[in-house]
Amino acid sequence: MKHAICLALVVLSSLVAPARAADGDLSSKLETYLGRLEKLGFSGTVLVAKDGKVVLEKGYGMADRERKIPMAADSVISIGSITKPFTAAAILKLEMAGKLRVEEPIGRFFPGAPPEKAAITIHQLLTHSAGLESDYGPTDYEAVSRDEIARRVFAAPLRTTPGKEYFYSNAGYSLLAAIVEILSGQSYEAYLRANLFEPAGMKATGYKVAWRDGQVAHGYVDGKDWGTILDKPWDKDGPYWNLRGNGGLHSTAGDMYRWHLALEGEKILSKSAKDKYFKPHVPEDPEGHSYYAYGWAVFETPRKTRLVAHNGSNGVFVADFRRYVDENVVIYAASNGEMSATALTEVLPAVVFGSEYAIPPAVVAVDATAMDRVVGSYALSSGSRIDVTRDGATLRASATGADTFALLHSPLPPEIAAKLNARVTTMVEAASKGDYKPIAEAFDGMVPLADVTKNESEMWNAMRERFGAFRRVEVLGSARMRPMAATVARLEFERGSRYMRFGWQQGQLVGIRVIDELPVITLYPTSPAEFVSFSLRDPNPITVTASGTSITLRRGTVEVTASRPAP
């Protein structure tokens, strides 16, 4: 759920023709772009509004692949940390009612808090400047009560002195949700529904709503059905308190636009409340590229206008809400599949504001028999292998060595990749000896050492029981992988090997997964013998050309040929 927005508005590629959105009808250009993107695998909902008019509101791909339920304009997708603007609005609504002041310390609401925590102000919670860690539990779905999350926060040492610096804290917003419940006497969601959602006309937004069958989208990771958050362990009135108030709300594109319209007037928040709500209070980075307001981030665009935005993700569902308040433009996108909404919203502003952007390649239908002739295992002179399989109308390629991994996957800057590769080697080698401190340090306080030790020791014991003694680790490489950076390593044991994937955000470890198969890239046919990769964030797609028993792979100026071994 970590907030991160990139203002890279131009995506260019030597393999796709650039277009300029200022020519012709904007709705038509968006339809063309997103229609092509849907054929390349985008699945989600998109809304674009300009000058008070909805230009596009549509669903793409599938909400439920197994039941063949298509994504609709009103499909429901988890909005992750875009929950935070609603929590902040609820606090301001309580201030408008005279029940609190954002400048007051939180000790009033949590009598058991120690003095240094009791002095934290509501304002500091709202602006992520309270000195708290991001999280105080291992998962969003741990059965944690309101009292327990408060106890954990108040028992742990402060990260920094309150008010000193910005550090994104999900737990801080859970404390704000607790304050909403304490003062209102209602559940968090019930208060939001009565005071925010219903006045704004948002009938499909919440934790638990009477959505129609099939309206809530399933999430997909590497082609596998992750299900919905509603399938995970939840309390009777919503998520447990590692998630409540900081994430997990569900909504539709239309409801999010209704929220934008409600914020344009004073139907919900007064002018003075909105002045606090949108004021850029605290810089998010030392350079001041963006500032955090109350539940929103505030940016200056390349056009010297204001962007008020927030995104959210749990690693499966991704949503991004962008309000170009000086230009009367709203862009909202949410995704449930392998192509991230936040990558899409880095491109859509170029379409809307007339900058150059890359048109996705036109996919052609190729006979399955012709595609099957390309399927196989291809070896490089280094001994590394590229395995090609068919997945319906596309090919999938995976790499078994560091050189082929670097070729197939979107590269990170070399110095960053080298640092992450070395760090993973250190973590794995230490963990193999029962030392989990390097992993806890990589989590940067997000997961306590005791929880890391418990989780990792269970995983290592299971691997040793199945595969025998650990032998060595080989890091295949670090790359950009939806929706973050990832490092992939092969762990070799006496009787086999396992792959592990380490996820990173801004240099901080955010997750470790044992994976059954290597990460793959999808190759789309542009002719019977040529296949092209496509990624919204990768300006250098791969072209694979098949010829007899060999394939040639090209990325930018790099070209390699791999051949099938002789029978």
Side-chain angles (χ1 to χ4, degrees), residues 134-206:
S134 174
D135 298 279
Y136 293 83
T139 73
D140 288 340
Y141 313 113
E142 181 190 13
V144 177
S145 68
R146 190 178 82 189
D147 289 346
E148 173 61 13
I149 195 66
R151 186 199 67 77
R152 290 183 184 182
V153 172
F154 298 142
L158 286 169
R159 181 185 181 89
T160 57
T161 302
K164 182 179 179 182
E165 64 182 46
Y166 170 92
F167 184 80
Y168 191 88
S169 175
N170 289 313
Y173 268 73
S174 291
L175 291 183
L176 291 168
I179 292 171
V180 170
E181 291 197 351
I182 291 165
L183 287 182
S184 70
Q186 298 176 276
S187 74
Y188 168 81
E189 182 184 22
Y191 183 84
L192 264 59
R193 186 170 311 286
N195 293 276
L196 306 182
F197 301 154
E198 289 180 357
M202 301 166 67
K203 297 180 179 179
T205 302

Side-chain angles (χ1 to χ4, degrees), residues 182-423:
I182 291 165
L183 287 182
S184 70
Q186 298 176 276
S187 74
Y188 168 81
E189 182 184 22
Y191 183 84
L192 264 59
R193 186 170 311 286
N195 293 276
L196 306 182
F197 301 154
E198 289 180 357
M202 301 166 67
K203 297 180 179 179
T205 302
Y207 283 138
K208 291 198 170 184
V209 179
W211 295 297
R212 70 174 184 271
D213 180 44
Q215 189 176 7
V216 179
H218 284 230
Y220 296 89
V221 179
D222 298 330
K224 297 177 182 177
D225 189 349
W226 185 86
T228 76
I229 290 182
L230 303 178
D231 301 325
K232 310 303 176 185
W234 268 30
D235 207 349
K236 60 183 181 299
D237 60 346
Y240 291 108
W241 282 83
N242 282 336
L243 185 60
R244 189 175 302 212
N246 68 68
L249 281 174
H250 289 59
S251 191
T252 65
D255 264 11
M256 296 306 289
Y257 185 62
R258 292 179 188 96
W259 179 238
H260 160 76
L261 293 176
L263 294 176
E264 290 285 276
E266 296 185 37
K267 188 173 186 178
I268 294 175
L269 295 180
S270 66
K271 181 181 182 304
S272 61
K274 288 193 299 180
D275 287 345
K276 292 182 180 181
Y277 195 38
F278 298 124
K279 182 180 178 180
H281 294 287
V282 177
E284 292 192 291
D285 58 74
E287 292 76 26
H289 294 131
S290 63
Y291 286 77
Y292 209 80
Y294 284 178
W296 296 97
V298 181
F299 304 81
E300 182 179 82
T301 74
R303 298 172 301 282
K304 306 299 181 184
T305 59
R306 283 178 302 149
L307 167 60
V308 178
H310 212 291
N311 61 21
S313 171
N314 70 344
V316 180
F317 302 100
V318 183
D320 197 2
F321 191 19
R322 295 185 173 210
R323 303 174 64 242
Y324 294 86
V325 293
D326 295 333
E327 297 163 288
N328 205 4
V329 165
V330 175
I331 295 174
Y332 175 80
S335 58
N336 69 325
E338 290 78 6
M339 198 174 291
S340 169
T342 51
L344 174 60
T345 52
E346 291 170 14
V347 181
L348 289 181
V351 184
V352 174
F353 294 115
S355 303
E356 285 191 337
Y357 62 98
I359 299 177
V363 175
V364 300
V366 173
D367 180 76
T369 304
M371 295 181 69
D372 285 339
R373 285 196 286 267
V374 185
V375 170
S377 185
Y378 298 84
L380 278 70
S381 57
S382 64
S384 293
R385 202 175 69 244
I386 294 175
D387 295 328
V388 179
T389 59
R390 183 167 69 87
D391 182 18
T394 63
L395 296 178
R396 289 157 67 91
S398 61
T400 64
D403 52 351
T404 48
F405 184 91
L407 179 66
L408 288 189
H409 298 287
S410 307
L412 293 169
E415 65 279 6
I416 294 177
K419 183 178 179 180
L420 295 180
N421 293 348
R423 202 165 185 188

